[in-house]
Amino acid sequence: MKQLSLRLYGLFAFIFLCCVGCTDHEPNPEVLPVVKTVEVTFNSQTGKPLFHLRIESTGNVGITEYGVAYLLAPFGNNPADFTPTVDGPKVVFDLPGTVGDHSKSAPFTDAEVEVYFYRSYAKLQNGNVIYGDIYSGD
């Protein structure tokens, strides 16, 4: 009888330890990259704006594409919506998207448009897109 009690207590202890030791663990939470829009500069030889952005952190969700989305307002014609998105015109920067400052020339000259709106973006591996602040140039 004593041997049966010891085996029974041992079995209960084993089951208890299995239940306690096999708890579900929370996966690491998503940490999104941080991209900041930086004001444009100009190439005086080409007359083209030079878009700048800063990746402040890359997070733990991979960047599959990044750059600057923009909207053009030809002379005398302002767009109804001043929010550039990745579905519209954009300048795609070269991968990898690393922490630091990045820049690339715009495909238009300052003389071709009256005003343009732009902001940085990053497309992520999970399918989401993050954006920086919107700026305008003229």
Side-chain angles (χ1 to χ4, degrees):
M1 189 75 168
K2 285 185 181 182
Q3 194 172 15
L4 181 62
S5 294
L6 284 175
R7 286 184 183 173
L8 190 58
Y9 284 122
L11 180 62
F12 285 135
F14 176 75
I15 291 171
F16 175 76
L17 290 175
C18 285
C19 291
V20 171
C22 296
T23 58
D24 288 337
H25 298 283
E26 293 278 330
N28 290 337
E30 279 189 347
V31 178
L32 299 177
V34 176
V35 295
K36 298 287 182 180
T37 309
V38 180
E39 289 192 46
V40 298
T41 57
F42 291 92
N43 182 329
S44 59
Q45 293 176 338
T46 64
K48 292 184 176 186
L50 187 61
F51 288 126
H52 302 278
L53 67 83
R54 178 175 301 117
I55 298 178
E56 294 190 343
S57 68
T58 55
N60 63 6
V61 181
I63 296 173
T64 60
E65 178 183 299
Y66 73 104
V68 172
Y70 63 91
L71 286 174
L72 301 178
F75 290 100
N77 183 14
N78 281 334
D81 182 6
F82 302 107
T83 307
T85 67
V86 296
D87 296 329
K90 61 188 174 186
V91 174
V92 180
F93 288 39
D94 297 329
L95 288 173
T98 56
V99 171
D101 294 332
H102 304 269
S103 59
K104 197 163 188 177
S105 232
F108 56 88
T109 66
D110 195 41
E112 295 173 318
V113 295
E114 184 174 3
V115 67
Y116 51 93
F117 302 90
Y118 62 95
R119 66 178 172 169
S120 58
Y121 75 89
K123 286 185 178 182
L124 308 178
Q125 284 179 340
N126 65 8
N128 293 333
V129 179
I130 58 169
Y131 291 98
D133 292 333
I134 298 173
Y135 285 71
S136 66
D138 49 358

